[in-house]
């Protein structure tokens, strides 16, 4: 056949979003919006819950600041100051579960709140009293005086998690890690390894496990199914935390391990968004790590996400999911080197500091 | 010239008698009292409740930086409880103020004030924040698990913090001389969430309101107990199974007037059984004038009044001692008490039955009784007495055992029989000195050689003059009683000097005086019925 110059390629009719040059290379960094369509919209009446890693705390804050119904079922005593409540872990996420780094941790949280699984107490000593092994971050500045008090608080907490799962309309979950620590006794997942900010590490009691993509997909699917048994309307927005690992127990170089972890999570999110109804993937990872901004959104430690980056993520989120215009916090108001997560409660960062201190 | 039509129209008009004012002061919960009169067959007077409403009166602002809320002070001045100089009117010593007050029926002793405060703080600080989102964990009461549960300790801490200034305010007023202040509990919450919303503009479910109210009232009760502030708690009267009875519902915030009948009942119970106003001995000269009007005996001077001549002479039976030995036991035949003991170098003997009877006749003689009641401002009874045979040395305290645990509100009386001859009792040279003292009083008797009791937390007998004199005296405590209850003297031996005069028994008695009856037990939680 003689080629007559007509282009009949399927790429010909692609939208600009699907082409690199117009949608990445040809735009200023701030205008890049790496998402085309979503499964649902979020309005101001929707109860939006959040959970996840440190980065997810930014989502919590921004939703609240921009007039959305950031749904919190565990706010802490109204008679304590906001500062005290935040220090105690209230309001950081929709319930006082602290950082939920892995999908397995999330699944067990759902199971425990629904009374579908019981694990050993996981009570450890901490610098300020007893620490809850399932939520070590909430005891960062104030522990429990007695085991009984801890267990009572945990029961109350799980009741509030259950209420959250029953009532929320939208659940924004940021997946942070694949590496996790598990109790040998009963498989209970701990968000961080005992030994650096609470308790003592005992290799006979705690084992390391690096989740595979199949694990993430399977276990998150189970969690969604459990929740939708009593809250069928719940919709999910998944994202992958762009904050690199602070340390790895995988035996591989930290960059290697980080790429693996984020890749697994990214792939799993794609599978979940494709296979499950009303589960979307939101590309905050791409926005922060994309080559188009030459890592401009990372702080000097090449790990912390700056406020500008958070603003970009939230701006795209708002434009995509809502009718509201996002009130940018960073431009003209803050130093561009301001680190967005300077006020965040991050167990991983505590590990980093502890490790640095031990080696100095 | 009489208008016959008017006379016939108002025929049957009667005087309900003298009223006694009770002041209800504070937030809007004082208002339902306003203008009400309460009477009871056992009361000889009608209670007239005078309300002084202070809009927005918060417990947390009742006393700040040591300063009592200015609006409260203004209210007290407006009701003439305080003078324009800010001093208690009933303590004024100028004759004009006294005479005007007396003629106007204003209090000669500290007026009774029922204070209402705390509910505004409670609703704005606790219930508003609890809203419909939180519930509080209280053992024994249901918890709404659909709400976030907070620790009851947080509520308790706020209650203490908020009530402390109010308690401080009352203490300061007491120190000024207004020592008959009663504190009313927070009202029971309405069962209707809708009515509550209509008043306050937000919803806090009844169960949460109930639990928080109970916590705050419990804290307030405890603070009052620690500071000896009479606490009017009507919860048991207006609730059934812990819920406000429908007949007391009013507007979702305040209680209906019948509820305040219970408040008055509780007030009277406390008034007669648990409190007594302090006296002001600096008004002696004024009260002497009053006594002159009411007693048939001529009292020509302050000293006369001070040395209240109850009897021209004391029968020897009063003494109970028949030997010159100061440490002897009561050897009155046919009657043996618990014996004597030496305490702080004081030996004492207990009065014999005839002695008590004489005392009774002396103190409760009609004329004396009226004079003393005019002086006290209430009906009284004697709740304890003992006879001492020797004066304490200067600075020497009464037995601290006898003072321990006794509330300051009691009047402590000393009937001193002075023996100037330093010999076995010579009844013809005896004088009687009746003095009254509480820890707040100052009384000085200027008669040479006699004793006086000075102001102190522990009343001290000090010797004035030269030398040491042997005196015989009976000391006893006065307490109020209802007018229709018989006056009585409750007694115990020094061996069993009661730690708490409200609950004492004479367990070691060997004989029971017939005329007093059996062991007296004085119970402050109820008014003894006739």
């Amino acid at each position: 056949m003689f080629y007559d110059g007509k282009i009949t390629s399927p790429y010909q009719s692609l939208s600009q979003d699907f082409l690199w040059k117009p949608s990445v290379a040809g735009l200023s960094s701030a205008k890049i919006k790496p998402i085309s369509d979503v499964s649902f919209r979020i309005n101001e009446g929707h109860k939006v819950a959040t959970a996840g890693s440190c980065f997810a705390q930014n989502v919590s804050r921004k939703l609240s600041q921009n007039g959305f119904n950031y749904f919190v079922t565990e706010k802490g005593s109204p008679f304590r100051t906001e500062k005290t409540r935040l220090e105690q872990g209230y309001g950081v996420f929709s319930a006082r579960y602290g950082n939920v780094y892995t999908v397995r941790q999330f699944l067990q949280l759902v199971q425990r709140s629904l009374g579908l699984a019981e694990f050993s107490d996981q009570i450890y000593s901490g610098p300020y009293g007893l620490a809850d092994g399932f939520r070590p971050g909430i005891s960062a500045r104030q522990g429990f005086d007695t085991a009984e008090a801890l267990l009572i608080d945990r029961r109350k907490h799980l009741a509030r998690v259950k209420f959250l799962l029953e009532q929320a309309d939208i659940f924004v979950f940021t997946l942070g890690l694949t590496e996790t620590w598990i109790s040998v006794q009963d498989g209970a997942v701990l968000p961080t390894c005992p030994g650096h900010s609470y308790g003592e590490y005992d290799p006979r009691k705690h084992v390391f496990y690096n989740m595979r993509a199949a694990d993430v997909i399977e276990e998150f699917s189970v969690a969604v199914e459990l929740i939708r048994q009593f809250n069928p309307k719940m919709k999910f927005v998944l994202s992958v935390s762009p904050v690199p690992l602070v340390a790895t127990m995988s035996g591989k170089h930290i960059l290697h391990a980080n790429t693996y972890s984020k890749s697994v999570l990214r792939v799993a999110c794609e599978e979940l968004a494709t296979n499950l109804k009303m589960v979307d993937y939101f590309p905050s990872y791409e926005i922060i790590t994309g080559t188009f901004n030459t890592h401009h959104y990372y702080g000097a430690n090449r790990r912390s996400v700056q406020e500008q980056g958070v603003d970009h993520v939230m701006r795209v989120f708002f434009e995509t999911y809502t009718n509201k215009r996002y009130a940018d916090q960073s431009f003209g108001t803050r130093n561009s080197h301001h680190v967005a997560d300077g006020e965040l409660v991050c167990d991983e960062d505590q590990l980093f500091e502890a490790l640095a201190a031990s080696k100095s | 010239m009489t208008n016959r039509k008017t006379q016939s129209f108002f025929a049957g008009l009667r005087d309900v008698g003298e009223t006694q004012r009770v002041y209800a002061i504070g937030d809007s919960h004082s208002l339902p009292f306003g203008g009400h009169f309460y009477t009871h067959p056992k009361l000889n007077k009608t209670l007239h409740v005078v309300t002084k409403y202070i809009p927005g009166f918060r417990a947390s602002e009742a006393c700040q930086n040591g300063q009592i809320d200015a609006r409260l002070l203004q209210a007290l001045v407006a009701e003439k409880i305080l003078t324009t100089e800010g001093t208690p009117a009933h303590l004024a010593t100028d004759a004009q103020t006294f005479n005007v007050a007396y003629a106007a029926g204003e209090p000669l002793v500290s007026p009774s004030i029922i204070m209402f405060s705390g509910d505004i703080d409670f609703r704005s600080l606790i219930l508003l924040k609890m809203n419909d989102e939180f519930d509080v964990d209280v053992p024994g009461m249901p918890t709404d698990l659909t709400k976030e549960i907070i620790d009851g300790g947080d509520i308790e801490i706020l209650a203490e913090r908020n009530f402390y200034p109010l308690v401080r305010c009352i203490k300061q007023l007491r120190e000024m001389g207004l020592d008959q202040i009663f504190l009313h509990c927070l009202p029971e919450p309405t069962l209707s969430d809708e009515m509550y919303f209509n008043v306050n503009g937000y919803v806090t479910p009844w169960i949460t309101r109930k639990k928080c109210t109970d916590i705050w009232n419990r804290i307030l009760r405890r603070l009052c107990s620690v500071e000896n502030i009479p606490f009017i708690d009507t919860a048991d009267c207006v609730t059934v199974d812990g819920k406000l009875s429908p007949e007391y519902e009013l507007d979702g915030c305040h209680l209906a007037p019948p509820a305040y009948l219970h408040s008055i009942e509780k007030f009277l119970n406390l008034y007669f059984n648990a409190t007594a106003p302090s006296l002001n001995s600096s008004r002696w000269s004024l009260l002497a004038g009053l006594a002159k009007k009411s007693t048939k005996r001529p009292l020509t001077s302050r000293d006369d009044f001070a040395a209240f001549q109850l009897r021209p002479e004391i029968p020897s039976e009063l003494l109970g001692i028949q030997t010159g030995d100061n440490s002897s036991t009561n050897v009155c035949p046919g009657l043996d008490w618990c014996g004597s003991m030496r305490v702080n170098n004081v030996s004492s003997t207990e009065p014999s039955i005839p002695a008590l009877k004489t005392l009774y006749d002396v103190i409760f003689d009609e004329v004396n009784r009226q004079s003393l009641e005019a002086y006290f401002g209430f009906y009284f009874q004697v709740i304890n007495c003992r006879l001492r045979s020797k004066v304490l040395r200067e600075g020497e305290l009464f037995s601290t055992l006898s003072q321990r645990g006794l509330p300051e509100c009691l009047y402590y009386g000393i009937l001193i029989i002075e023996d100037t001859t330093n010999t076995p009792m010579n009844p013809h040279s005896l004088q009687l000195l009746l003095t009254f003292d509480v820890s707040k009083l100052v009384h000085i008797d200027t008669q040479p050689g006699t004793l006086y009791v000075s102001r102190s937390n522990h009343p001290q007998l000090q010797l004035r003059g030269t030398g040491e004199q042997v005196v015989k005296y009976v000391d006893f405590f006065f307490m109020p009683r209802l007018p229709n209850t018989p006056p009585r003297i409750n007694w115990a031996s020094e061996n069993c000097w009661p730690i708490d005069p409200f609950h004492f028994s004479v367990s070691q008695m060997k004989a029971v005086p017939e005329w007093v009856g059996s062991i007296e037990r004085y119970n402050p939680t109820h008014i003894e019925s006739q």
Side-chain angles (χ1 to χ4, degrees), chain A residues 308-326:
Chain A
Q308 284 174 324
V310 175
D311 280 340
H312 191 165
V313 166
M314 295 312 298
R315 199 165 55 247
V316 172
F317 183 90
F318 272 66
E319 283 174 13
T320 309
Y321 277 100
T322 79
N323 295 328
K324 275 197 91 160
R325 191 171 177 281
Y326 173 71

Side-chain angles (χ1 to χ4, degrees), chain B residues 220-332:
Chain B
L220 187 55
R221 188 183 310 117
R222 181 172 62 77
L223 289 173
C224 287
S225 171
V226 167
E227 300 294 347
N228 270 331
I229 298 172
F231 181 62
I232 296 176
D233 187 353
T234 56
D236 57 343
C237 304
V238 299
T239 58
V240 174
D241 295 331
K243 297 178 181 173
L244 183 64
S245 292
E247 66 265 35
Y248 303 121
E249 291 267 16
L250 184 64
D251 60 0
C253 177
H254 305 92
L255 301 187
Y260 295 95
L261 205 61
H262 296 297
S263 303
I264 289 292
E265 282 179 50
K266 295 280 183 174
F267 156 73
L268 286 172
N269 196 22
L270 289 167
Y271 178 79
F272 284 110
N273 290 331
T275 67
S278 60
L279 291 175
N280 173 24
S281 61
S282 56
R283 298 176 75 153
W284 281 45
S285 58
L286 299 170
L287 288 162
L290 182 66
K292 281 179 193 174
K293 297 184 182 89
S294 61
T295 182
K296 294 176 186 172
R297 289 194 179 77
L299 296 171
T300 57
S301 70
R302 181 174 179 274
D303 292 337
D304 284 341
F305 185 83
F308 201 132
Q309 297 255 355
L310 300 180
R311 289 286 181 180
E313 60 181 44
I314 299 299
S316 58
E317 298 89 68
L318 186 64
L319 309 174
I321 302 174
Q322 297 191 359
T323 70
D325 180 358
N326 292 336
S327 64
S328 65
T329 305
N330 181 353
V331 294
C332 183

Side-chain angles (χ1 to χ4, degrees), chain B residues 467-507:
Chain B
E468 180 185 335
Q469 291 175 306
V470 176
V471 292
K472 312 287 184 228
Y473 59 92
V474 177
D475 52 22
F476 44 87
F477 290 83
F478 290 104
M479 273 296 292
R481 68 177 172 86
L482 287 172
N484 294 330
T485 56
R488 62 180 72 225
I489 297 177
N490 298 328
W491 48 264
S493 72
E494 190 170 24
N495 286 358
C496 302
W497 189 261
I499 298 301
D500 176 2
F502 293 107
H503 299 283
F504 70 88
S505 63
V506 182
S507 58

